[in-house]
Amino acid sequence: MPDTKGLVIVNTGNGKGKTTAALGLALRAWGQGLRVLVVQFIKGNWKYGELKAAEKLGPDFVIRQLGEGFVKHAKANANADHQSAAQTALAIARAEIASGGWDLIILDEINYAVKFGLVTVSECLELIGLKSGQMHLVFTGRDARPELIDCADLVTEMRAVKHPYQQGVKAQKGIEF
Amino acid sequence: MPDTKGLVIVNTGNGKGKTTAALGLALRAWGQGLRVLVVQFIKGNWKYGELKAAEKLGPDFVIRQLGEGFVKHAKANANADHQSAAQTALAIARAEIASGGWDLIILDEINYAVKFGLVTVSECLELIGLKSGQMHLVFTGRDARPELIDCADLVTEMRAVKHPYQQGVKAQKGIEF
Protein backbone atom coordinates (compact mmCIF):
# COMPACT_ATOMS: atom_id res chain seq x y z
CA MET A 1 0.00 0.00 0.00
CA PRO A 2 1.32 3.47 -0.87
CA ASP A 3 2.14 5.96 1.86
CA THR A 4 -0.33 8.46 0.47
CA LYS A 5 -3.51 7.91 -1.46
CA GLY A 6 -6.66 9.74 -2.32
CA LEU A 7 -9.03 9.11 0.54
CA VAL A 8 -12.71 8.30 0.57
CA ILE A 9 -14.01 10.26 3.56
CA VAL A 10 -17.47 10.04 5.12
CA ASN A 11 -18.88 12.59 7.61
CA THR A 12 -22.11 11.28 9.05
CA GLY A 13 -24.16 11.28 12.26
CA ASN A 14 -27.00 13.35 13.71
CA GLY A 15 -24.81 16.23 14.93
CA LYS A 16 -23.55 19.49 13.55
CA GLY A 17 -20.30 19.63 11.71
CA LYS A 18 -20.64 17.21 8.82
CA THR A 19 -20.76 19.85 6.10
CA THR A 20 -18.80 22.26 8.29
CA ALA A 21 -15.90 19.85 8.76
CA ALA A 22 -15.88 19.16 5.02
CA LEU A 23 -15.71 22.91 4.48
CA GLY A 24 -12.80 23.19 6.91
CA LEU A 25 -11.03 20.38 5.07
CA ALA A 26 -11.68 22.24 1.83
CA LEU A 27 -10.12 25.41 3.24
CA ARG A 28 -7.06 23.53 4.52
CA ALA A 29 -6.63 21.77 1.17
CA TRP A 30 -7.06 25.03 -0.72
CA GLY A 31 -4.46 26.60 1.56
CA GLN A 32 -2.06 23.86 0.46
CA GLY A 33 -2.72 24.64 -3.19
CA LEU A 34 -5.20 21.84 -3.92
CA ARG A 35 -8.16 22.43 -6.22
CA VAL A 36 -11.46 21.97 -4.41
CA LEU A 37 -15.00 21.45 -5.69
CA VAL A 38 -18.12 21.17 -3.54
CA VAL A 39 -21.26 19.70 -5.16
CA GLN A 40 -24.32 20.33 -3.00
CA PHE A 41 -26.98 17.68 -3.48
CA ILE A 42 -29.70 19.01 -1.21
CA LYS A 43 -29.22 22.58 -0.15
CA GLY A 44 -31.04 25.07 -2.30
CA ASN A 45 -30.81 28.79 -2.76
CA TRP A 46 -29.79 29.84 0.73
CA LYS A 47 -27.20 32.59 0.92
CA TYR A 48 -24.69 30.46 2.70
CA GLY A 49 -21.59 32.00 4.20
CA GLU A 50 -19.59 29.35 2.38
CA LEU A 51 -20.91 30.53 -0.98
CA LYS A 52 -19.86 34.08 -0.24
CA ALA A 53 -16.48 32.83 0.98
CA ALA A 54 -15.99 30.66 -2.11
CA GLU A 55 -16.67 33.64 -4.36
CA LYS A 56 -13.77 35.42 -2.67
CA LEU A 57 -11.39 32.45 -2.86
CA GLY A 58 -11.18 32.25 -6.64
CA PRO A 59 -11.24 29.47 -9.26
CA ASP A 60 -9.64 26.74 -7.15
CA PHE A 61 -12.47 26.75 -4.59
CA VAL A 62 -15.81 26.22 -6.26
CA ILE A 63 -19.23 25.40 -4.80
CA ARG A 64 -21.95 24.17 -7.13
CA GLN A 65 -25.44 24.20 -5.67
CA LEU A 66 -27.73 21.80 -7.44
CA GLY A 67 -30.18 20.55 -4.89
CA GLU A 68 -33.70 21.84 -4.48
CA GLY A 69 -33.66 22.77 -0.81
CA PHE A 70 -34.04 20.58 2.23
CA VAL A 71 -36.06 17.43 1.79
CA LYS A 72 -38.76 17.43 4.40
CA HIS A 73 -40.15 13.94 4.36
CA ALA A 74 -39.69 10.40 3.17
CA LYS A 75 -41.87 10.95 0.12
CA ALA A 76 -39.34 13.29 -1.43
CA ASN A 77 -38.58 10.70 -4.06
CA ALA A 78 -42.13 11.23 -5.29
CA ASN A 79 -41.16 14.83 -5.98
CA ALA A 80 -39.91 15.07 -9.53
CA ASP A 81 -38.07 18.33 -8.88
CA HIS A 82 -36.00 16.88 -6.07
CA GLN A 83 -35.27 13.76 -8.05
CA SER A 84 -34.28 15.70 -11.11
CA ALA A 85 -32.07 18.13 -9.15
CA ALA A 86 -30.28 15.30 -7.33
CA GLN A 87 -29.74 13.42 -10.57
CA THR A 88 -28.33 16.56 -12.17
CA ALA A 89 -25.96 16.89 -9.20
CA LEU A 90 -24.97 13.25 -9.69
CA ALA A 91 -24.28 13.74 -13.39
CA ILE A 92 -22.12 16.77 -12.64
CA ALA A 93 -20.30 14.88 -9.88
CA ARG A 94 -19.55 12.04 -12.33
CA ALA A 95 -18.19 14.40 -14.95
CA GLU A 96 -16.12 16.45 -12.51
CA ILE A 97 -14.65 13.40 -10.76
CA ALA A 98 -13.70 11.83 -14.07
CA SER A 99 -12.27 15.11 -15.40
CA GLY A 100 -9.20 14.96 -13.16
CA GLY A 101 -9.49 18.71 -12.70
CA TRP A 102 -9.90 18.59 -8.92
CA ASP A 103 -7.82 17.26 -6.02
CA LEU A 104 -10.71 17.18 -3.56
CA ILE A 105 -14.42 16.89 -4.30
CA ILE A 106 -17.06 17.13 -1.59
CA LEU A 107 -20.42 15.52 -2.33
CA ASP A 108 -22.37 17.52 0.20
CA GLU A 109 -25.53 15.90 1.63
CA ILE A 110 -25.32 13.04 -0.85
CA ASN A 111 -26.02 10.58 1.99
CA TYR A 112 -29.24 12.45 2.64
CA ALA A 113 -30.14 12.20 -1.05
CA VAL A 114 -29.59 8.44 -0.82
CA LYS A 115 -31.68 8.21 2.33
CA PHE A 116 -34.60 9.83 0.54
CA GLY A 117 -34.26 7.73 -2.59
CA LEU A 118 -33.06 10.55 -4.84
CA VAL A 119 -29.76 8.79 -5.56
CA THR A 120 -29.03 5.06 -5.13
CA VAL A 121 -26.20 3.71 -3.04
CA SER A 122 -24.86 1.98 -6.17
CA GLU A 123 -24.65 5.34 -7.89
CA CYS A 124 -22.61 6.60 -4.91
CA LEU A 125 -20.20 3.70 -5.06
CA GLU A 126 -19.76 4.14 -8.80
CA LEU A 127 -18.45 7.65 -8.13
CA ILE A 128 -15.59 6.19 -6.11
CA GLY A 129 -14.64 4.02 -9.09
CA LEU A 130 -14.34 7.11 -11.29
CA LYS A 131 -11.76 8.92 -9.22
CA SER A 132 -8.01 8.95 -9.77
CA GLY A 133 -5.73 7.33 -7.21
CA GLN A 134 -4.70 10.58 -5.54
CA MET A 135 -8.08 12.36 -5.55
CA HIS A 136 -9.92 12.75 -2.26
CA LEU A 137 -13.68 12.31 -2.23
CA VAL A 138 -15.88 13.34 0.70
CA PHE A 139 -19.46 12.14 1.28
CA THR A 140 -21.48 14.08 3.85
CA GLY A 141 -24.92 13.65 5.37
CA ARG A 142 -26.58 11.69 8.11
CA ASP A 143 -27.36 7.98 7.88
CA ALA A 144 -24.48 7.03 5.59
CA ARG A 145 -25.18 3.57 4.20
CA PRO A 146 -23.07 0.64 5.42
CA GLU A 147 -22.03 -0.15 1.83
CA LEU A 148 -20.44 3.31 1.62
CA ILE A 149 -18.77 3.00 5.02
CA ASP A 150 -17.28 -0.31 3.87
CA CYS A 151 -15.62 1.47 0.93
CA ALA A 152 -14.40 4.48 2.93
CA ASP A 153 -10.96 5.14 4.40
CA LEU A 154 -12.00 7.68 7.01
CA VAL A 155 -15.42 7.76 8.62
CA THR A 156 -16.45 10.15 11.37
CA GLU A 157 -19.76 10.27 13.15
CA MET A 158 -20.75 13.74 14.38
CA ARG A 159 -22.94 13.12 17.41
CA ALA A 160 -25.14 15.89 18.85
CA VAL A 161 -24.53 16.22 22.58
CA LYS A 162 -26.30 19.55 23.03
CA HIS A 163 -27.96 21.88 20.54
CA PRO A 164 -29.08 25.51 20.91
CA TYR A 165 -32.39 24.91 19.08
CA GLN A 166 -33.34 22.99 22.21
CA GLN A 167 -33.09 26.32 24.05
CA GLY A 168 -35.10 28.33 21.55
CA VAL A 169 -32.15 30.04 19.86
CA LYS A 170 -32.63 30.52 16.13
CA ALA A 171 -30.22 29.52 13.36
CA GLN A 172 -27.75 32.37 13.01
CA LYS A 173 -25.95 34.05 10.15
CA GLY A 174 -22.30 33.04 10.07
CA ILE A 175 -22.88 30.00 12.26
CA GLU A 176 -25.54 27.84 10.64
CA PHE A 177 -25.57 29.52 7.25
CA MET B 1 -34.27 34.48 25.73
CA PRO B 2 -33.24 36.36 22.58
CA ASP B 3 -33.65 34.80 19.16
CA THR B 4 -29.95 35.11 18.49
CA LYS B 5 -27.03 35.09 20.87
CA GLY B 6 -23.34 34.49 20.84
CA LEU B 7 -22.90 30.76 21.22
CA VAL B 8 -20.48 28.75 23.30
CA ILE B 9 -19.62 25.83 21.05
CA VAL B 10 -17.64 22.71 21.98
CA ASN B 11 -16.21 20.24 19.44
CA THR B 12 -14.92 17.19 21.25
CA GLY B 13 -14.55 13.41 20.85
CA ASN B 14 -11.84 11.03 19.65
CA GLY B 15 -12.54 11.50 15.94
CA LYS B 16 -11.32 13.75 13.18
CA GLY B 17 -13.08 17.00 12.49
CA LYS B 18 -12.94 18.95 15.75
CA THR B 19 -10.48 21.57 14.53
CA THR B 20 -11.59 21.03 10.95
CA ALA B 21 -15.24 21.78 11.72
CA ALA B 22 -14.19 24.87 13.66
CA LEU B 23 -12.20 25.93 10.61
CA GLY B 24 -15.23 25.38 8.39
CA LEU B 25 -17.33 27.45 10.76
CA ALA B 26 -14.67 30.14 10.62
CA LEU B 27 -14.78 30.17 6.82
CA ARG B 28 -18.59 30.37 6.78
CA ALA B 29 -18.55 33.20 9.33
CA TRP B 30 -15.83 35.04 7.42
CA GLY B 31 -17.91 34.63 4.26
CA GLN B 32 -20.74 36.42 6.09
CA GLY B 33 -18.45 39.29 7.01
CA LEU B 34 -17.69 38.26 10.58
CA ARG B 35 -14.22 38.80 12.05
CA VAL B 36 -12.59 35.52 13.03
CA LEU B 37 -9.64 34.73 15.27
CA VAL B 38 -8.19 31.28 15.93
CA VAL B 39 -5.90 30.87 18.95
CA GLN B 40 -4.04 27.57 18.79
CA PHE B 41 -3.16 26.23 22.23
CA ILE B 42 -1.25 23.11 21.29
CA LYS B 43 -0.20 22.90 17.70
CA GLY B 44 3.28 24.17 17.04
CA ASN B 45 5.19 25.12 13.97
CA TRP B 46 3.60 22.84 11.40
CA LYS B 47 2.95 24.36 8.01
CA TYR B 48 -0.76 23.88 8.23
CA GLY B 49 -2.94 24.41 5.21
CA GLU B 50 -5.11 26.62 7.38
CA LEU B 51 -2.22 28.96 8.10
CA LYS B 52 -1.52 29.35 4.41
CA ALA B 53 -5.22 29.87 3.75
CA ALA B 54 -5.54 32.45 6.54
CA GLU B 55 -2.64 34.43 5.08
CA LYS B 56 -4.62 34.69 1.85
CA LEU B 57 -7.89 35.68 3.53
CA GLY B 58 -6.71 38.95 5.02
CA PRO B 59 -7.10 40.77 8.34
CA ASP B 60 -10.54 39.43 9.28
CA PHE B 61 -9.32 35.81 9.42
CA VAL B 62 -6.36 35.46 11.74
CA ILE B 63 -4.70 32.37 13.21
CA ARG B 64 -2.31 32.80 16.13
CA GLN B 65 -0.19 29.78 16.89
CA LEU B 66 1.04 29.78 20.42
CA GLY B 67 1.32 26.17 21.48
CA GLU B 68 4.54 24.19 21.55
CA GLY B 69 3.55 21.21 19.40
CA PHE B 70 1.62 18.11 20.30
CA VAL B 71 1.75 17.05 23.90
CA LYS B 72 2.83 13.44 23.97
CA HIS B 73 2.13 12.30 27.48
CA ALA B 74 0.45 13.09 30.74
CA LYS B 75 3.60 14.62 32.19
CA ALA B 76 3.40 17.55 29.82
CA ASN B 77 2.50 19.81 32.71
CA ALA B 78 5.98 19.14 34.03
CA ASN B 79 7.30 20.69 30.87
CA ALA B 80 7.84 24.38 31.48
CA ASP B 81 7.81 25.22 27.78
CA HIS B 82 4.39 23.68 27.24
CA GLN B 83 3.02 25.33 30.33
CA SER B 84 4.40 28.69 29.42
CA ALA B 85 3.15 28.51 25.83
CA ALA B 86 -0.35 27.49 26.89
CA GLN B 87 -0.47 30.25 29.48
CA THR B 88 0.64 32.77 26.85
CA ALA B 89 -2.17 31.52 24.61
CA LEU B 90 -4.58 31.93 27.49
CA ALA B 91 -3.46 35.49 28.16
CA ILE B 92 -3.88 36.37 24.49
CA ALA B 93 -7.30 34.70 24.42
CA ARG B 94 -8.38 36.77 27.43
CA ALA B 95 -7.25 40.02 25.88
CA GLU B 96 -8.74 39.28 22.45
CA ILE B 97 -12.09 38.11 23.84
CA ALA B 98 -12.37 41.19 26.03
CA SER B 99 -11.30 43.50 23.18
CA GLY B 100 -14.60 43.13 21.33
CA GLY B 101 -12.64 43.12 18.07
CA TRP B 102 -13.81 39.68 16.94
CA ASP B 103 -17.19 38.09 16.24
CA LEU B 104 -15.94 34.52 16.51
CA ILE B 105 -12.94 33.23 18.43
CA ILE B 106 -11.80 29.61 18.24
CA LEU B 107 -9.76 28.31 21.16
CA ASP B 108 -8.19 25.45 19.29
CA GLU B 109 -7.11 22.40 21.33
CA ILE B 110 -7.78 24.22 24.58
CA ASN B 111 -9.56 21.10 25.90
CA TYR B 112 -6.38 19.17 25.29
CA ALA B 113 -4.42 21.82 27.20
CA VAL B 114 -6.83 21.37 30.10
CA LYS B 115 -6.53 17.61 29.93
CA PHE B 116 -2.78 17.84 30.32
CA GLY B 117 -2.90 20.38 33.11
CA LEU B 118 -1.54 23.31 31.08
CA VAL B 119 -4.71 25.35 31.62
CA THR B 120 -7.32 24.85 34.34
CA VAL B 121 -11.00 24.32 33.65
CA SER B 122 -11.72 27.42 35.76
CA GLU B 123 -9.53 29.48 33.45
CA CYS B 124 -11.59 28.13 30.52
CA LEU B 125 -14.88 29.08 32.13
CA GLU B 126 -13.58 32.57 32.95
CA LEU B 127 -13.06 33.15 29.22
CA ILE B 128 -16.78 32.68 28.65
CA GLY B 129 -17.49 35.41 31.20
CA LEU B 130 -15.32 37.86 29.26
CA LYS B 131 -17.19 37.65 25.98
CA SER B 132 -19.86 40.04 24.74
CA GLY B 133 -23.42 38.77 24.32
CA GLN B 134 -23.22 38.35 20.55
CA MET B 135 -19.71 36.88 20.34
CA HIS B 136 -19.31 33.20 19.50
CA LEU B 137 -16.63 31.22 21.29
CA VAL B 138 -15.52 27.74 20.18
CA PHE B 139 -13.57 25.27 22.34
CA THR B 140 -12.00 22.33 20.53
CA GLY B 141 -10.14 19.23 21.64
CA ARG B 142 -10.91 15.78 22.95
CA ASP B 143 -12.09 15.05 26.47
CA ALA B 144 -13.92 18.33 27.03
CA ARG B 145 -14.62 18.67 30.74
CA PRO B 146 -18.21 18.30 31.99
CA GLU B 147 -18.04 21.77 33.57
CA LEU B 148 -17.44 23.24 30.12
CA ILE B 149 -20.18 21.16 28.51
CA ASP B 150 -22.59 22.44 31.16
CA CYS B 151 -21.84 26.02 30.09
CA ALA B 152 -22.02 25.37 26.35
CA ASP B 153 -24.91 25.96 23.93
CA LEU B 154 -23.80 23.55 21.22
CA VAL B 155 -21.72 20.45 21.87
CA THR B 156 -20.74 17.93 19.22
CA GLU B 157 -18.80 14.75 19.72
CA MET B 158 -16.74 13.68 16.71
CA ARG B 159 -16.50 9.90 16.95
CA ALA B 160 -13.94 7.95 14.90
CA VAL B 161 -15.65 5.13 13.02
CA LYS B 162 -12.77 4.30 10.69
CA HIS B 163 -9.36 5.90 10.25
CA PRO B 164 -6.79 5.50 7.45
CA TYR B 165 -3.83 5.29 9.85
CA GLN B 166 -5.25 1.88 10.71
CA GLN B 167 -4.46 0.89 7.11
CA GLY B 168 -0.92 2.29 7.10
CA VAL B 169 -1.72 5.45 5.14
CA LYS B 170 0.34 8.45 6.27
CA ALA B 171 -0.97 11.89 7.22
CA GLN B 172 -1.33 13.84 4.00
CA LYS B 173 -0.76 17.42 2.94
CA GLY B 174 -4.08 19.20 2.43
CA ILE B 175 -6.00 16.62 4.46
CA GLU B 176 -4.43 16.35 7.90
CA PHE B 177 -2.26 19.46 7.72
Side-chain angles (χ1 to χ4, degrees):
Chain A
M1 173 164 295
D3 280 351
T4 64
K5 61 176 262 197
L7 299 178
V8 174
I9 298 173
V10 177
N11 291 351
T12 192
N14 69 344
K16 297 279 297 177
K18 298 181 289 291
T19 292
T20 315
L23 195 62
L25 187 68
L27 181 65
R28 177 178 294 148
W30 177 82
Q32 292 283 24
L34 304 190
R35 298 158 300 171
V36 178
L37 174 69
V38 181
V39 181
Q40 294 189 325
F41 276 72
I42 296 289
K43 285 169 183 166
N45 296 316
W46 288 60
K47 283 288 174 195
Y48 281 102
E50 52 261 49
L51 291 177
K52 294 188 185 176
E55 282 168 16
K56 300 183 197 178
L57 299 187
D60 285 345
F61 195 115
V62 173
I63 298 180
R64 296 191 65 173
Q65 287 200 295
L66 298 146
E68 282 288 315
F70 281 103
V71 177
K72 295 290 182 194
H73 53 74
K75 293 202 175 153
N77 60 351
N79 181 320
D81 289 342
H82 280 306
Q83 191 104 45
S84 158
Q87 286 293 321
T88 301
L90 184 67
I92 287 168
R94 277 196 195 108
E96 296 288 2
I97 292 168
S99 76
W102 306 98
D103 301 300
L104 168 66
I105 293 185
I106 294 165
L107 306 167
D108 188 47
E109 298 288 4
I110 190 171
N111 298 339
Y112 211 68
V114 171
K115 178 178 178 174
F116 287 106
L118 306 173
V119 169
T120 69
V121 69
S122 300
E123 286 168 331
C124 274
L125 301 183
E126 283 163 16
L127 295 176
I128 298 172
L130 295 174
K131 82 176 191 66
S132 71
Q134 291 299 313
M135 205 194 108
H136 306 288
L137 201 53
V138 183
F139 295 76
T140 83
R142 59 173 67 196
D143 297 316
R145 290 280 289 268
E147 299 93 319
L148 178 63
I149 290 174
D150 284 347
C151 294
D153 301 295
L154 170 59
V155 180
T156 307
E157 179 193 344
M158 278 68 175
R159 196 173 70 81
V161 176
K162 202 172 186 183
H163 198 289
Y165 300 163
Q166 296 163 356
Q167 306 163 49
V169 180
K170 278 192 187 169
Q172 294 181 73
K173 180 171 157 175
I175 299 294
E176 274 94 357
F177 59 93
Chain B
M1 172 163 296
D3 280 352
T4 65
K5 62 175 260 198
L7 300 177
V8 175
I9 298 173
V10 177
N11 291 350
T12 191
N14 69 345
K16 296 282 294 178
K18 297 181 291 290
T19 293
T20 315
L23 195 62
L25 187 68
L27 181 64
R28 175 178 297 146
W30 176 82
Q32 293 283 25
L34 304 189
R35 298 158 301 170
V36 178
L37 174 70
V38 181
V39 181
Q40 293 190 323
F41 276 72
I42 296 290
K43 286 170 182 167
N45 295 316
W46 287 63
K47 284 285 173 196
Y48 281 103
E50 51 261 49
L51 291 176
K52 295 188 184 175
E55 283 168 17
K56 300 183 197 178
L57 299 188
D60 285 345
F61 194 115
V62 173
I63 298 179
R64 297 191 64 174
Q65 288 200 294
L66 299 147
E68 281 288 314
F70 281 103
V71 177
K72 295 290 184 194
H73 53 73
K75 294 203 175 152
N77 60 349
N79 181 320
D81 288 342
H82 282 304
Q83 191 105 42
S84 158
Q87 286 293 321
T88 301
L90 184 66
I92 287 168
R94 277 196 195 107
E96 296 288 2
I97 291 168
S99 76
W102 306 98
D103 301 299
L104 169 66
I105 294 186
I106 294 165
L107 305 168
D108 188 47
E109 298 287 6
I110 190 171
N111 298 339
Y112 211 67
V114 172
K115 177 177 179 176
F116 287 106
L118 305 173
V119 169
T120 70
V121 70
S122 300
E123 287 169 331
C124 273
L125 300 183
E126 283 163 17
L127 295 177
I128 297 172
L130 295 175
K131 82 176 190 66
S132 72
Q134 291 298 314
M135 205 194 108
H136 306 288
L137 201 53
V138 183
F139 295 76
T140 83
R142 60 172 68 195
D143 297 315
R145 290 280 289 267
E147 299 93 320
L148 177 64
I149 290 173
D150 284 347
C151 294
D153 301 295
L154 170 59
V155 181
T156 308
E157 179 193 346
M158 278 68 176
R159 195 173 70 81
V161 177
K162 202 172 184 182
H163 198 289
Y165 300 162
Q166 296 163 355
Q167 305 162 50
V169 178
K170 278 192 187 169
Q172 293 181 71
K173 179 170 158 176
I175 298 296
E176 276 93 357
F177 60 91

